[in-house]
Structure formats: structure tokens, C-alpha cells
Amino acid sequence: TADVVRLKVRPMTRHRRCRFTELSQMGDKTGAAAVFISHTWGARFRELAAAIAYALPPDTLVWIDILAVRQWPGNVGDIDFRPVVHKTNALLLIARHLEQVADIQPSAIINANCQLDMLGGEGEAKTLQFVMRNTLRQIPSDQLATCAFFRIWCVVELVAALMADIPVLMLVGAEKRIGHDGHGAGGEGAAGFLVQGAGSQEANGTYLREGQYGGAPLYKKGQWWLLRYSLGSGARFWYIADKDRLNVDA
């Protein structure tokens, strides 16, 4: 994503030193954003685009920092993202699945049973070392850069959404490449979603992948399902619903 800023966003905005969204060719493609996108510049841009397309309807307006923030000196007014988060209807955090991060036991961190050390001198690649009660694990700099949960901006954005009772959806996985025959190559999409700030407290929690519904992945949390549902008009949207009340409009 950082390469997209360096090779595309900055060259295209150099003359006016404006936001990418203020370019004349963007005039009919902008508007009030419904969803705030939280991500890290160290991850692949194609993963960012694939995740947005996977999780949201195609006509959803989203706020993405590389396009909505001036990438030039003097952009201090653009840097406080909290007011922007508060004006959206939801926050979508996009992160790559990393085995070394997934293997860290949450209880060890929650219970303060670990020590964090940043290794590497000036000008050297950094490594985050987890010193836990019975083990030692190091996360290299390339993984630190691609993990949204180690980016302080992502943490600030998540806190801003949760404190304002704005729904939060976390999508952790990788993009799925499509072959020439139109079928996917590789993985089967995200393994699960973490939902916070839903209209019903019972709907919050972790939804795990379990089969399909209507040709799209189906995620379940007990009685609650996260699914793509087709309306009578033919439009398709993602919903969280009680599995026994999928056809009830209430």
C-alpha cells in the first residue's frame, strides 16, 4: 500500500498538493463515507481492495486514509481520524493472517504474563520479541509492518469506534486469486469475523466459517449467522441475523 502512495497518489497530487479525492477526475466518485477502513500501509494494496470488495456491497462509499488524507507536509488537520470515525456508520479493520501472531495466546497478554522488547539498532530491521512465562517468540519486521494490530493508528481507530458505539467488523485473511476459468485459486476466504457494536449485544462476538449460504461463505456464532442474503429485488447484502428469523423484517 505504501508503494501505491509513492508511485500513484503522490505523483498524481504533486501539482496541487491536494488530497487524492480532490482531483477533478474523482468528482463523481466521492461522497459521505458509510464505512471507515482501518488498515496498515505495510500490507499489500490488493489485499485491501479484495477485502473491501468481499465484505461490503459494491456501491458502499468508504473512507481510506491514502486517498482522503493529504500526503504532503502541512496535513496536520487531516491526521486526527477520530472525528471521521464518528461520522461513519461502521469501521472495517482489514488485517493479514499471520501464523506467528495467531499463535500468541491472548490470555498471556491480557494477564500481563509477557514482556515486549523491540530488537534492532538504528537503521536496522526491527524485531518484536515476546518473552512469555515458558516461551520466547520473535516477530520479524516484515510481519510487524503487515499486521494491522501492531499499527498504533489502527488501535486508536478501533478505540474511537468502540467508545462511540460504532459497529466494528474485523476481517483477517488474505486475497483469493481468481483463475482464468473464473474459479478461485488457493484459500476459501476468511476463517472468521469478530463483530463488536452490533444492535443487539447477543450478536457481538466471533463468527466462524461453516459452509455456504446462497453461494457465499456462511459464518456462525451459535444461534446467530453472518450471511449474504438476497432480497426480492435481486440485491444482495451481508446481514447478522437469528438463523430462525432470516425471513423476518424486524
Side-chain angles (χ1 to χ4, degrees):
T1 301
D3 289 340
V4 172
V5 175
R6 178 174 58 87
L7 299 175
K8 292 294 183 180
V9 175
R10 286 178 62 88
M12 293 180 68
T13 58
R14 179 175 290 115
H15 178 67
R16 294 177 54 197
R17 296 207 164 200
C18 62
R19 303 175 183 89
F20 190 89
T21 53
E22 294 175 329
L23 294 174
S24 58
Q25 55 265 48
M26 294 294 294
D28 61 344
K29 301 177 179 65
T30 61
V35 179
F36 185 101
I37 304 299
S38 183
H39 68 109
T40 174
W41 287 25
R44 298 188 184 102
F45 181 76
R46 67 172 183 259
E47 290 181 349
L48 174 65
I52 294 172
Y54 179 85
L56 301 174
D59 58 348
T60 304
L61 292 178
V62 299
W63 191 97
I64 306 177
D65 57 352
I66 66 171
L67 306 178
V69 172
R70 289 180 65 246
Q71 304 301 326
W72 298 98
N75 65 349
V76 176
D78 285 358
I79 297 302
D80 187 359
F81 298 157
R82 288 170 295 184
V84 181
V85 172
H86 294 166
K87 291 181 180 179
T88 57
N89 300 326
L91 182 145
L92 172 62
L93 182 136
I94 298 167
R96 178 189 291 186
H97 175 80
L98 299 170
E99 290 294 341
Q100 285 182 286
V101 176
D103 287 343
I104 298 172
Q105 295 297 320
S107 59
I109 299 175
I110 293 173
N111 297 325
N113 290 329
C114 70
Q115 174 184 331
L116 304 181
D117 296 319
M118 186 65 74
L119 308 180
E122 184 176 354
E124 298 178 347
K126 299 296 188 293
T127 296
L128 185 66
Q129 178 173 274
F130 282 75
V131 184
M132 302 183 203
R133 181 173 297 174
N134 299 315
T135 186
L136 175 69
R137 180 177 291 112
Q138 294 185 351
I139 300 178
S141 58
D142 60 338
Q143 294 205 9
L144 286 177
T146 58
C147 181
F149 298 105
F150 290 123
R151 179 175 178 257
I152 189 61
W153 282 115
C154 290
V155 176
V156 171
E157 293 155 6
L158 283 172
V159 171
L162 293 174
M163 292 187 66
D165 292 327
I166 294 173
V168 170
L169 182 66
M170 298 184 186
L171 177 58
V172 181
E175 84 274 18
K176 179 179 180 181
R177 298 187 178 184
I178 305 300
H180 296 296
D181 59 356
H183 292 87
E188 292 297 325
F193 289 95
L194 174 63
V195 176
Q196 294 288 346
S200 170
Q201 185 62 33
E202 295 178 345
N204 291 329
T206 302
Y207 290 74
L208 299 179
R209 173 75 179 272
E210 189 173 329
Q212 289 192 332
Y213 184 96
L218 172 64
Y219 300 88
K220 297 181 179 180
K221 185 186 78 75
Q223 185 76 9
W224 293 87
W225 287 6
L226 173 62
L227 71 161
R228 190 178 67 182
Y229 194 77
S230 298
L231 302 178
S233 63
R236 295 181 298 181
F237 297 94
W238 285 89
Y239 291 96
I240 296 175
D242 185 316
K243 70 180 183 65
D244 295 329
R245 296 172 58 85
L246 298 183
N247 297 315
V248 177
D249 185 13

